[in-house]
Structures are given as structure tokens and as C-alpha cells.
Amino acid sequence: FGTTTTAKTIDALDDFFGALGCPTKLPETGLKKAKKKEILDLMNKNSITGSNYKLKAKDRDAILELMFV
């Protein structure tokens, strides 16, 4: 993307997918923040984790919070 920082690369990627009409945040899919607890409970129940970094409950919460920004 010809950017110089991680943040600018993320913004450029977000713009790219937005130009394609792809949602990049949960509200863009129609999900309301009121569903956050339900989604987080399911993530924790199913022990959602990463392949390179093992996620803890607080990590899942932080990731989900960013998905609603």
C-alpha cells in the first residue's frame, strides 16, 4: 500500500475493503453493540484463540471492542 507505518497500512486496508463494499466492522454487518456480551460469551465458551498467539478472555474482549469501533 506504500505506507510507512502499521497504522497507515491498517487504514489503507480498511479503505481497500470498503471500496469493495466489504464490511470491516461489525456494525457494518447490522450487528448492534448490544450483542457484544452474547458474542463474547460464545467466543469464551468455544475458547476462540489464535494460531500464533493464544488468546485469553481479556484479549477476546479487546478484539471484540475494536470490531465495534
Side-chain angles (χ1 to χ4, degrees):
F1 291 101
T3 60
T4 57
T5 68
T6 304
K8 288 180 182 178
T9 301
I10 292 169
D11 289 340
L13 209 65
D14 189 54
D15 292 342
F16 171 76
F17 282 109
L20 295 175
C22 298
T24 58
K25 303 285 189 256
L26 290 176
E28 295 170 5
T29 68
L31 282 170
K32 306 281 187 221
K33 196 160 187 173
K35 289 280 192 181
K36 181 185 173 201
K37 182 179 177 346
E38 181 181 346
I39 295 168
L40 185 58
D41 288 346
L42 284 171
M43 289 172 75
N44 288 328
K45 177 182 175 183
N46 292 303
S47 300
I48 302 299
T49 191
S51 59
N52 295 316
Y53 181 80
K54 302 304 174 198
L55 301 174
K56 298 176 178 137
K58 67 178 182 152
D59 300 320
R60 293 181 201 110
D61 185 47
I63 290 169
L64 192 57
E65 188 61 35
L66 290 172
M67 294 169 133
F68 277 105
V69 172

